Amino acid sequence: MTYDFSGKVALVTGGASGIGEAVSKLLAASGAKVVVADLDESAAKATAAEIEKAGGTAAGFAVDVADAAQNEAMVAFAKETYGGLHLAVNNAGIGGAAALTGEYPIESWDKVIDINLNGVFYGMRYEIPAIEASGGGSIVNMASILGSVGIAMSPAYVAAKHGVVGLTKSAALEYGEKGVRINAIGPGFIETPLLTKHMDEETLKFIASKHAMNRLGQPEEIANLTAFLLSDEAGFITGSYHLADGGYVSQ
Ligand code: NAI
């Protein structure tokens, strides 16, 4: 499926790697002007440069989504650079420590909640008024299958992703009549640096086996759903949480 985002300005947090990178590239290939926002400034600029080389329009921006003021600056950058904001993907996230709840490091809890949950709220806090002022648009928040089911050893991540799903539903109710559709996606395990940097071959194989399709997902498979939800083709879809999980949650 192809999309026409020409004339639209998009912002993707965590846009320089994995799922965010695939989303940035797909939106740009579909005509959007894209702000690639990431903690890793050089990677954000490199992704934007790749997009421009391929004939698209993009700019890199350094942001720590855990900082409210930096989210405000990110949205201001989109408006100053491209004249408005229509589409936003709050995707930046980290895994955090792996430990039992009764032993979980407090600093890892705080960091995961700051980035994975507060970061999504801070993003929407500034994106929503900008999207309204630009005549309406759509937001996708990247949750996880772990926004609907639990898993051992990741209490902060699971709590943050469940929070993202609830936040998405509440915000969608508030802005449904105001031209801003807001949805969440729950990817299964996707082959990105978030996983591959921290897990050996054996563990990845085991995780893949938990999906009905017995494989990991690819970032582009999540980018496709993201683009659909952002597009006018999804015009009656808001406040919902969409799995793209190779059957993980069906068990
Ligand atoms: P990734 O590690 O490949 O990319 C994440 C990007 O976010 C990186 O470029 C990183 O620099 C950036 N980032 C990290 N902290 C940041 C911060 N404080 N401010 C701004 N940018 C920051 O990860 P991946 O897999 O692409 O994950 C993207 C999203 O998808 C995350 O929210 C993750 O929780 C979610 N997800 C990933 C799954 C997976 O299996 N890979 C499964 C389900 C959800």
Side-chain angles (χ1 to χ4, degrees), residues 93-98 104 108 112 116 154 156-157 194:
I94 59 167
Y104 204 75
S108 185
V112 171
N116 291 13
S154 285
Y157 188 90
L194 186 88

Side-chain angles (χ1 to χ4, degrees), residues 17 19 38-39 63-65 91 143 157 161 188-190 192-194:
S17 172
I19 294 170
D38 204 288
L39 189 62
V63 70
D64 179 353
V65 296
N91 161 81
Y157 188 90
K161 294 301 188 182
F189 286 88
I190 309 300
T192 72
L194 186 88

Side-chain angles (χ1 to χ4, degrees), residues 13-21 37-40 43 62-67 70 90-95 111 114-116 142-146 157 161 185-195 197-198 216 219 222:
T13 71
S17 172
I19 294 170
E21 181 182 351
D38 204 288
L39 189 62
D40 185 338
V63 70
D64 179 353
V65 296
D67 181 313
Q70 292 189 38
N90 295 305
N91 161 81
I94 59 167
K111 192 168 180 198
D114 275 348
I115 296 172
N116 291 13
M142 206 54 70
S144 165
I145 41 173
L146 302 176
Y157 188 90
K161 294 301 188 182
I185 293 181
F189 286 88
I190 309 300
E191 197 171 352
T192 72
L194 186 88
L195 279 197
K197 260 202 305 203
H198 305 288
L216 299 174
I222 305 305

Side-chain angles (χ1 to χ4, degrees), residues 21 28 38 42 56 74 120 141 157 164 185 191 215:
E21 181 182 351
D38 204 288
S42 62
M74 169 180 76
V120 174
N141 296 323
Y157 188 90
V164 167
I185 293 181
E191 197 171 352
R215 67 169 175 87

